[in-house]
Amino acid sequence: MATNTLIQYLETGTGTDAMNRNQTETFLAAVAIAEGKLVSLDLRAATADGDKCISVVPADLSSGDTLGVVGVAVSSAGVGEKVQVVLKGIAFVAADVGIAAGDALSVSATGAGATAGFVKQRAAADLYTCVGVALEATGASKAGQVKALIYKGW
């Protein structure tokens, strides 16, 4: 279900949460998903067409059926459970080492421990689109994650 904030509360001195413009949406986890994972629509062949746009799996550059990136999971979920996903805005995302503030981010095929759902520093030769920009270095606030501005791609 899509969420949207149509009216913003712009009172000064109330903190940043009152003006949070992150856009989130709820999906179903097709596999277990950890908080902070970059997620894709579940485009695997075994998934029924009617479920492809409501279920998500960790994104992985090495698998073409997990490249429908929608955003970052902000909660953990087991198989079949609901998972909140930031479609655009600021979120902590699982990241490869060596990312610095200002780096463009792309889907990683390797990640720490060769698992899916990580971002990496985007190289000029990358064919996949940029999914966001790092606001700080990997691990600056959370171990193994980077605070990033996630671009809306879906």
Side-chain angles (χ1 to χ4, degrees), residues 9-83:
Y9 183 73
L10 300 176
E11 184 75 26
T12 58
T14 59
T16 57
D17 287 340
M19 297 183 284
N20 186 343
R21 294 179 189 251
N22 280 6
Q23 183 179 359
T24 62
E25 189 162 336
T26 302
F27 291 90
L28 296 176
V31 299
I33 295 175
E35 178 182 342
K37 292 289 188 164
L38 189 68
V39 295
S40 161
L41 295 175
D42 183 10
L43 303 176
R44 299 174 298 173
T47 305
D49 286 346
D51 292 338
K52 288 186 188 315
C53 288
I54 63 169
S55 59
V56 291
V57 295
D60 184 0
L61 187 62
S62 62
S63 178
D65 53 9
T66 62
L67 282 177
V69 174
V70 293
V72 178
V74 291
S75 61
S76 295
V79 177
E81 294 179 347
K82 293 179 181 178
V83 60

Side-chain angles (χ1 to χ4, degrees), residues 1-5 20-27 70-72 74 84-91 150-154:
M1 174 178 295
T3 58
N4 199 355
T5 305
N20 186 343
R21 294 179 189 251
N22 280 6
Q23 183 179 359
T24 62
E25 189 162 336
T26 302
F27 291 90
V70 293
V72 178
V74 291
Q84 277 296 116
V85 176
V86 170
L87 303 181
K88 73 173 179 86
I90 297 172
I150 304 301
Y151 299 151
K152 186 171 183 179
W154 183 75

